[in-house]
Structures are given as C-alpha cells and as structure tokens.
Amino acid sequence: DNELAPPERFIRALSQIPQVTGRVDCWAFLSTYNEQIGDIFQPLKLIQDACTSIQNSKSLPRVLAILLDIGNYMNGNSNRGQADGFDIAVLSRLSNLKDAEGKTSVLQYAVQLAVNTYGFEFPEKILAELTPCRAASEY
C-alpha cells in the first residue's frame, strides 16, 4: 500500500467504502439542495399567488358571466344556446370573433358591457386583482 501514490491510495480507500456511488450521489444532492429548492420555489410561489388571485377575484366571475351571456345570446337558436359554461380555450379567440359588420370584437363588446354595468374603473380593478397572473405567465 505504501508503494502507491497518494491519488491511488485515495481511490483504493474509496473503493473499500460500501455503496460509495450512492453515498457520493447523496452528498452531491445535499450539497446543491438549497439551490435546487430556490429554483423550484420561485415559480411555484408565482403560480400559487396567481391561483389565489383568481380564487379571490370579485371581478373575474362577473367577466365570465358576461361572456357566457354573450355566447348564449349568439347561440340562442341553436342547441348550444343557454349553456351553463364554456370551454376556457374560447377566451383566446374573443378578439377574433367580430360582429356582423366586422368592426367590434366580442372582447371589445364584453369590455364595454362590463364598463357600462360595473363602472368605468372596472378594467383597472380586474387588472389589479389579477396582477399575480401576469407575473406567473411571464416566468
């Protein structure tokens, strides 16, 4: 054992440790644990804050009710009229759905209806309530 150089003696000593690979892997994980948790915690906190803002929003249910009413009116004489809900994917298409003259989108109409119903400050109020959603979407 004395004829081995220090690096070889070190490797030989390591090879005699039971389950050395698993132990080294565990040590490496523990040494980077706090950093890994930090990388995961921030996005999860943003998502949690966004979910809480959606749950606590007073304005969002009002907007969704307006959109449901508009959709039910537009589909009034079909089997899709008087629905109890709608697919959330519809929200991304509201700016593309136009009136018969092609001038006003459903989104513009819904905003105008919300302002007329709930007041001029309504758009700013819903944006303030859902600010955490923007932060989560930008992460």
Side-chain angles (χ1 to χ4, degrees):
D1 208 26
N2 287 340
E3 67 259 7
L4 297 174
E8 285 85 13
R9 283 197 305 260
F10 177 74
I11 295 298
R12 183 175 179 155
L14 280 180
S15 70
Q16 295 175 355
I17 298 172
Q19 301 176 356
V20 70
T21 304
R23 291 176 182 211
V24 169
D25 289 344
C26 184
W27 172 79
F29 173 77
L30 289 174
S31 70
T32 61
Y33 178 78
N34 287 336
E35 182 181 333
Q36 291 178 27
I37 288 299
D39 291 344
I40 295 169
F41 180 76
Q42 179 63 21
L44 288 178
K45 178 74 170 113
L46 290 173
I47 291 169
Q48 181 182 25
D49 291 347
C51 290
T52 300
S53 73
I54 289 169
Q55 290 173 329
N56 294 336
S57 175
K58 303 289 188 231
S59 304
L60 184 59
R62 292 175 176 172
V63 168
L64 296 176
I66 288 172
L67 293 172
L68 181 61
D69 288 345
I70 292 170
N72 282 336
Y73 180 80
M74 290 171 61
N75 297 316
N77 293 330
S78 72
N79 62 350
R80 296 187 319 181
Q82 302 311 310
D84 293 328
F86 57 86
D87 188 337
I88 198 81
V90 169
L91 297 177
S92 66
R93 299 192 302 261
L94 293 178
S95 62
N96 298 331
L97 296 170
K98 305 279 184 179
D99 64 8
E101 297 161 1
K103 293 182 180 179
T104 304
S105 72
V106 170
L107 179 61
Q108 291 168 320
Y109 181 72
V111 169
Q112 189 59 50
L113 193 57
V115 167
N116 292 344
T117 305
Y118 300 111
F120 186 73
E121 69 285 341
F122 186 78
E124 287 80 18
K125 182 177 179 184
I126 192 168
L127 287 174
E129 288 177 1
L130 300 177
T131 296
C133 294
R134 180 173 299 268
S137 72
E138 292 173 353
Y139 192 83

Coordinates of all heavy atoms in Angstrom, one line a residue, residues 36-95:
Q36 N -31.4 24.1 -5.6 CA -32.4 23.5 -6.4 C -33.8 23.9 -5.9 O -34.7 24.2 -6.6 CB -32.3 22.0 -6.4 CG -31.1 21.5 -7.1 CD -30.9 19.9 -7.1 OE1 -31.9 19.2 -6.9 NE2 -29.7 19.5 -7.2
I37 N -34.0 23.9 -4.6 CA -35.2 24.3 -4.0 C -35.5 25.8 -4.3 O -36.7 26.1 -4.7 CB -35.2 24.1 -2.4 CG1 -35.3 22.7 -2.1 CG2 -36.4 24.9 -1.8 CD1 -36.5 21.9 -2.6
G38 N -34.5 26.6 -4.3 CA -34.7 28.0 -4.7 C -35.2 28.2 -6.1 O -36.0 29.0 -6.4
D39 N -34.6 27.3 -7.0 CA -35.0 27.4 -8.4 C -36.4 26.9 -8.6 O -37.1 27.4 -9.5 CB -34.1 26.5 -9.3 CG -32.7 27.0 -9.4 OD1 -32.5 28.2 -9.0 OD2 -31.8 26.3 -9.7
I40 N -36.9 26.0 -7.8 CA -38.3 25.5 -7.9 C -39.3 26.3 -7.2 O -40.4 26.6 -7.6 CB -38.3 24.0 -7.4 CG1 -37.5 23.1 -8.3 CG2 -39.7 23.5 -7.3 CD1 -37.2 21.8 -7.7
F41 N -38.9 26.9 -6.0 CA -39.8 27.6 -5.1 C -40.3 28.9 -5.8 O -41.5 29.1 -5.7 CB -39.1 27.9 -3.8 CG -40.0 28.7 -2.9 CD1 -41.0 28.0 -2.2 CD2 -39.9 30.0 -2.7 CE1 -41.9 28.7 -1.3 CE2 -40.8 30.7 -1.8 CZ -41.7 30.0 -1.2
Q42 N -39.5 29.6 -6.5 CA -39.9 30.9 -7.0 C -41.1 30.7 -8.0 O -42.1 31.4 -7.9 CB -38.8 31.7 -7.7 CG -39.1 33.0 -8.3 CD -39.7 34.0 -7.3 OE1 -39.5 33.9 -6.1 NE2 -40.4 35.0 -7.8
P43 N -41.0 29.8 -9.0 CA -42.1 29.7 -10.0 C -43.3 29.1 -9.3 O -44.5 29.5 -9.6 CB -41.6 28.7 -11.0 CG -40.1 28.5 -10.8 CD -39.8 29.1 -9.5
L44 N -43.2 28.2 -8.3 CA -44.3 27.7 -7.6 C -45.0 28.8 -6.8 O -46.3 28.8 -6.7 CB -43.9 26.5 -6.7 CG -43.5 25.2 -7.4 CD1 -43.1 24.2 -6.4 CD2 -44.7 24.7 -8.2
K45 N -44.3 29.6 -6.2 CA -44.8 30.8 -5.5 C -45.6 31.7 -6.4 O -46.7 32.1 -6.0 CB -43.7 31.5 -4.7 CG -44.2 32.7 -4.0 CD -44.9 32.3 -2.7 CE -45.2 33.6 -1.8 NZ -46.6 33.9 -1.7
L46 N -45.1 31.9 -7.6 CA -45.8 32.8 -8.5 C -47.1 32.1 -9.0 O -48.2 32.8 -9.1 CB -44.9 33.0 -9.8 CG -43.7 33.9 -9.6 CD1 -42.9 33.9 -10.8 CD2 -44.2 35.3 -9.2
I47 N -47.1 30.8 -9.2 CA -48.3 30.1 -9.6 C -49.3 30.1 -8.4 O -50.5 30.3 -8.6 CB -48.0 28.6 -10.0 CG1 -47.2 28.7 -11.4 CG2 -49.2 27.8 -10.2 CD1 -46.6 27.4 -11.8
Q48 N -48.8 29.9 -7.2 CA -49.7 29.9 -6.1 C -50.4 31.2 -5.9 O -51.6 31.3 -5.7 CB -48.9 29.5 -4.8 CG -49.8 29.5 -3.5 CD -49.0 29.1 -2.3 OE1 -47.8 29.4 -2.2 NE2 -49.7 28.6 -1.3
D49 N -49.6 32.3 -6.0 CA -50.1 33.7 -5.9 C -51.2 33.9 -7.0 O -52.2 34.6 -6.8 CB -49.0 34.7 -6.0 CG -48.1 34.7 -4.8 OD1 -48.5 34.1 -3.8 OD2 -47.1 35.3 -4.8
A50 N -50.9 33.4 -8.2 CA -51.8 33.6 -9.4 C -53.2 32.9 -9.1 O -54.2 33.4 -9.3 CB -51.2 33.1 -10.7
C51 N -53.1 31.6 -8.6 CA -54.3 30.9 -8.2 C -55.1 31.6 -7.1 O -56.3 31.6 -7.2 CB -53.9 29.4 -7.8 SG -53.3 28.4 -9.2
T52 N -54.4 32.1 -6.2 CA -55.1 32.8 -5.1 C -55.8 34.0 -5.6 O -56.9 34.3 -5.2 CB -54.1 33.2 -4.0 OG1 -53.5 32.0 -3.5 CG2 -54.7 33.9 -2.8
S53 N -55.1 34.7 -6.5 CA -55.8 36.0 -7.0 C -57.0 35.6 -7.9 O -58.0 36.3 -7.8 CB -54.8 36.8 -7.9 OG -54.5 36.2 -9.1
I54 N -57.0 34.5 -8.6 CA -58.1 34.0 -9.3 C -59.3 33.7 -8.4 O -60.4 34.0 -8.6 CB -57.8 32.9 -10.3 CG1 -56.9 33.4 -11.4 CG2 -59.0 32.2 -10.8 CD1 -56.2 32.3 -12.2
Q55 N -58.9 32.9 -7.4 CA -59.9 32.5 -6.4 C -60.6 33.6 -5.7 O -61.8 33.6 -5.3 CB -59.3 31.5 -5.4 CG -59.0 30.2 -5.9 CD -58.2 29.3 -4.9 OE1 -57.5 29.8 -4.1 NE2 -58.4 28.0 -5.1
N56 N -59.8 34.7 -5.4 CA -60.3 35.8 -4.6 C -60.9 36.9 -5.4 O -61.4 37.9 -4.9 CB -59.2 36.4 -3.7 CG -58.8 35.4 -2.6 OD1 -59.5 34.5 -2.2 ND2 -57.5 35.5 -2.2
S57 N -60.7 36.8 -6.7 CA -61.2 37.9 -7.6 C -62.7 38.1 -7.5 O -63.5 37.1 -7.7 CB -60.8 37.7 -9.0 OG -61.3 38.7 -9.9
K58 N -63.2 39.3 -7.4 CA -64.6 39.6 -7.4 C -65.0 39.9 -8.9 O -66.2 39.7 -9.3 CB -65.0 40.8 -6.5 CG -64.5 40.6 -5.1 CD -65.4 39.6 -4.4 CE -65.1 39.6 -2.9 NZ -64.8 38.3 -2.4
S59 N -64.1 40.4 -9.6 CA -64.4 40.9 -11.0 C -64.4 39.7 -12.0 O -65.1 39.8 -13.0 CB -63.3 41.9 -11.4 OG -63.3 43.0 -10.5
L60 N -63.5 38.7 -11.9 CA -63.4 37.7 -12.8 C -64.7 36.9 -13.0 O -65.1 36.7 -14.2 CB -62.3 36.7 -12.5 CG -62.0 35.6 -13.5 CD1 -61.6 36.2 -14.9 CD2 -60.9 34.7 -13.0
P61 N -65.4 36.5 -12.0 CA -66.7 35.9 -12.2 C -67.7 36.8 -13.0 O -68.5 36.3 -13.8 CB -67.2 35.6 -10.8 CG -66.0 35.6 -9.9 CD -65.1 36.5 -10.6
R62 N -67.6 38.1 -12.8 CA -68.5 39.0 -13.5 C -68.2 39.0 -15.0 O -69.1 39.0 -15.8 CB -68.4 40.4 -12.9 CG -68.9 40.5 -11.5 CD -68.7 41.8 -10.9 NE -69.3 41.9 -9.6 CZ -69.2 42.9 -8.8 NH1 -68.4 44.0 -9.1 NH2 -69.8 42.9 -7.6
V63 N -66.9 39.0 -15.3 CA -66.5 39.0 -16.7 C -66.9 37.7 -17.4 O -67.4 37.6 -18.5 CB -65.0 39.2 -16.9 CG1 -64.5 38.9 -18.3 CG2 -64.6 40.6 -16.5
L64 N -66.7 36.6 -16.7 CA -67.0 35.3 -17.2 C -68.5 35.1 -17.4 O -69.0 34.6 -18.4 CB -66.5 34.2 -16.3 CG -64.9 34.1 -16.2 CD1 -64.5 33.0 -15.2 CD2 -64.3 33.9 -17.6
A65 N -69.3 35.7 -16.5 CA -70.8 35.7 -16.6 C -71.2 36.5 -17.9 O -72.1 36.1 -18.6 CB -71.4 36.3 -15.4
I66 N -70.6 37.7 -18.1 CA -70.9 38.5 -19.3 C -70.5 37.7 -20.5 O -71.3 37.6 -21.5 CB -70.1 39.8 -19.2 CG1 -70.7 40.7 -18.2 CG2 -70.1 40.5 -20.6 CD1 -69.8 42.0 -17.9
L67 N -69.4 37.0 -20.5 CA -69.0 36.2 -21.7 C -70.0 35.1 -21.9 O -70.3 34.8 -23.1 CB -67.6 35.7 -21.6 CG -66.5 36.8 -21.6 CD1 -65.1 36.3 -21.3 CD2 -66.5 37.5 -22.9
L68 N -70.4 34.4 -20.9 CA -71.4 33.3 -21.0 C -72.7 33.9 -21.6 O -73.3 33.3 -22.5 CB -71.6 32.7 -19.7 CG -72.6 31.5 -19.7 CD1 -72.1 30.4 -20.6 CD2 -72.8 31.0 -18.2
D69 N -73.1 35.0 -21.1 CA -74.4 35.6 -21.6 C -74.2 36.0 -23.1 O -75.2 35.7 -23.8 CB -74.7 36.9 -20.8 CG -75.2 36.6 -19.4 OD1 -75.6 35.4 -19.1 OD2 -75.2 37.5 -18.6
I70 N -73.1 36.5 -23.5 CA -72.9 36.9 -24.9 C -72.9 35.6 -25.7 O -73.6 35.5 -26.8 CB -71.6 37.6 -25.1 CG1 -71.7 39.0 -24.4 CG2 -71.2 37.7 -26.5 CD1 -70.3 39.7 -24.4
G71 N -72.2 34.6 -25.3 CA -72.2 33.3 -26.0 C -73.6 32.7 -26.1 O -74.0 32.2 -27.2
N72 N -74.3 32.7 -25.0 CA -75.7 32.2 -25.1 C -76.6 33.0 -26.0 O -77.4 32.4 -26.7 CB -76.3 32.1 -23.7 CG -75.8 30.9 -22.9 OD1 -75.3 29.9 -23.4 ND2 -75.8 31.1 -21.5
Y73 N -76.4 34.3 -26.0 CA -77.2 35.1 -27.0 C -76.8 34.8 -28.4 O -77.7 34.6 -29.3 CB -76.9 36.6 -26.7 CG -77.7 37.5 -27.6 CD1 -79.1 37.7 -27.4 CD2 -77.1 38.1 -28.7 CE1 -79.8 38.5 -28.2 CE2 -77.8 38.9 -29.6 CZ -79.2 39.1 -29.3 OH -79.9 39.9 -30.2
M74 N -75.5 34.7 -28.7 CA -75.1 34.4 -30.0 C -75.5 33.0 -30.5 O -75.8 32.8 -31.7 CB -73.5 34.5 -30.1 CG -73.0 35.9 -30.0 SD -71.2 35.9 -29.8 CE -70.6 35.2 -31.3
N75 N -75.6 32.1 -29.6 CA -76.0 30.7 -29.9 C -77.5 30.4 -29.6 O -77.9 29.3 -29.5 CB -75.1 29.7 -29.2 CG -73.7 29.8 -29.7 OD1 -73.4 29.9 -30.8 ND2 -72.8 29.8 -28.7
G76 N -78.3 31.5 -29.4 CA -79.6 31.4 -28.8 C -80.6 30.4 -29.5 O -81.3 29.7 -28.9
N77 N -80.5 30.3 -30.8 CA -81.5 29.5 -31.6 C -80.8 28.1 -31.9 O -81.4 27.4 -32.8 CB -82.0 30.2 -32.8 CG -82.8 31.4 -32.4 OD1 -83.5 31.4 -31.4 ND2 -82.8 32.4 -33.3
S78 N -79.7 27.8 -31.3 CA -79.1 26.5 -31.6 C -79.1 25.6 -30.4 O -79.5 26.1 -29.3 CB -77.7 26.8 -32.1 OG -76.8 27.2 -31.0
N79 N -78.6 24.4 -30.6 CA -78.5 23.5 -29.4 C -77.4 23.9 -28.4 O -77.3 23.3 -27.4 CB -78.3 22.1 -29.9 CG -77.0 21.9 -30.7 OD1 -76.4 22.8 -31.0 ND2 -76.7 20.6 -30.9
R80 N -76.6 24.9 -28.8 CA -75.5 25.4 -27.9 C -76.0 26.6 -27.1 O -75.2 27.0 -26.2 CB -74.3 25.7 -28.7 CG -73.7 24.5 -29.4 CD -72.4 24.8 -30.1 NE -72.3 26.1 -30.8 CZ -71.3 26.5 -31.4 NH1 -70.2 25.8 -31.5 NH2 -71.3 27.7 -32.0
G81 N -77.2 27.1 -27.3 CA -77.7 28.2 -26.6 C -78.0 27.8 -25.1 O -78.3 26.6 -24.9
Q82 N -78.0 28.8 -24.2 CA -78.4 28.5 -22.8 C -77.5 27.5 -22.2 O -77.9 26.7 -21.4 CB -79.9 28.2 -22.7 CG -80.8 29.2 -23.2 CD -80.5 30.6 -22.8 OE1 -80.3 30.8 -21.6 NE2 -80.4 31.6 -23.7
A83 N -76.2 27.6 -22.5 CA -75.2 26.7 -21.9 C -74.9 27.2 -20.4 O -75.1 28.3 -20.1 CB -73.9 26.8 -22.7
D84 N -74.4 26.2 -19.6 CA -74.1 26.5 -18.3 C -72.6 27.0 -18.1 O -72.2 27.4 -17.1 CB -74.3 25.3 -17.4 CG -75.7 24.9 -17.3 OD1 -76.6 25.8 -17.3 OD2 -76.0 23.7 -17.2
G85 N -71.8 26.8 -19.2 CA -70.4 27.1 -19.2 C -69.9 27.1 -20.6 O -70.6 26.9 -21.5
F86 N -68.6 27.4 -20.6 CA -67.9 27.3 -21.9 C -66.5 26.9 -21.8 O -65.9 26.9 -20.7 CB -67.9 28.7 -22.6 CG -67.3 29.8 -21.8 CD1 -66.0 30.1 -21.8 CD2 -68.1 30.6 -21.0 CE1 -65.4 31.1 -21.1 CE2 -67.6 31.7 -20.3 CZ -66.2 31.9 -20.3
D87 N -65.9 26.4 -22.9 CA -64.5 26.0 -22.9 C -63.6 27.2 -22.7 O -63.7 28.2 -23.4 CB -64.2 25.3 -24.2 CG -62.9 24.6 -24.2 OD1 -62.0 24.9 -23.4 OD2 -62.7 23.6 -25.0
I88 N -62.6 27.0 -21.8 CA -61.7 28.1 -21.4 C -60.9 28.5 -22.7 O -60.5 29.7 -22.8 CB -60.8 27.7 -20.2 CG1 -60.2 29.0 -19.6 CG2 -59.8 26.8 -20.6 CD1 -61.1 29.7 -18.7
A89 N -60.7 27.6 -23.6 CA -59.9 27.9 -24.8 C -60.6 29.0 -25.7 O -60.0 29.7 -26.4 CB -59.7 26.7 -25.7
V90 N -61.9 29.2 -25.5 CA -62.6 30.3 -26.2 C -62.1 31.7 -25.9 O -62.1 32.6 -26.7 CB -64.2 30.2 -25.9 CG1 -64.9 31.4 -26.4 CG2 -64.7 28.9 -26.4
L91 N -61.6 31.8 -24.7 CA -61.1 33.2 -24.2 C -60.0 33.7 -25.2 O -59.9 34.9 -25.4 CB -60.6 33.1 -22.8 CG -61.6 32.8 -21.8 CD1 -61.0 32.7 -20.4 CD2 -62.8 33.8 -21.8
S92 N -59.2 32.8 -25.7 CA -58.1 33.3 -26.5 C -58.6 33.7 -27.9 O -57.8 34.3 -28.7 CB -57.0 32.2 -26.7 OG -57.5 31.1 -27.3
R93 N -59.8 33.4 -28.3 CA -60.3 33.7 -29.6 C -61.3 34.9 -29.6 O -61.8 35.3 -30.6 CB -61.0 32.5 -30.2 CG -60.1 31.3 -30.4 CD -60.8 30.2 -31.2 NE -62.0 29.7 -30.6 CZ -62.1 28.6 -29.9 NH1 -61.1 27.9 -29.6 NH2 -63.3 28.2 -29.5
L94 N -61.5 35.5 -28.4 CA -62.5 36.5 -28.3 C -62.2 37.8 -29.2 O -63.1 38.4 -29.7 CB -62.7 37.0 -26.9 CG -63.3 35.9 -25.9 CD1 -63.4 36.5 -24.5 CD2 -64.7 35.5 -26.4
S95 N -60.9 38.1 -29.3 CA -60.6 39.3 -30.1 C -60.8 39.0 -31.6 O -60.8 39.9 -32.4 CB -59.2 39.7 -29.8 OG -58.3 38.7 -30.2

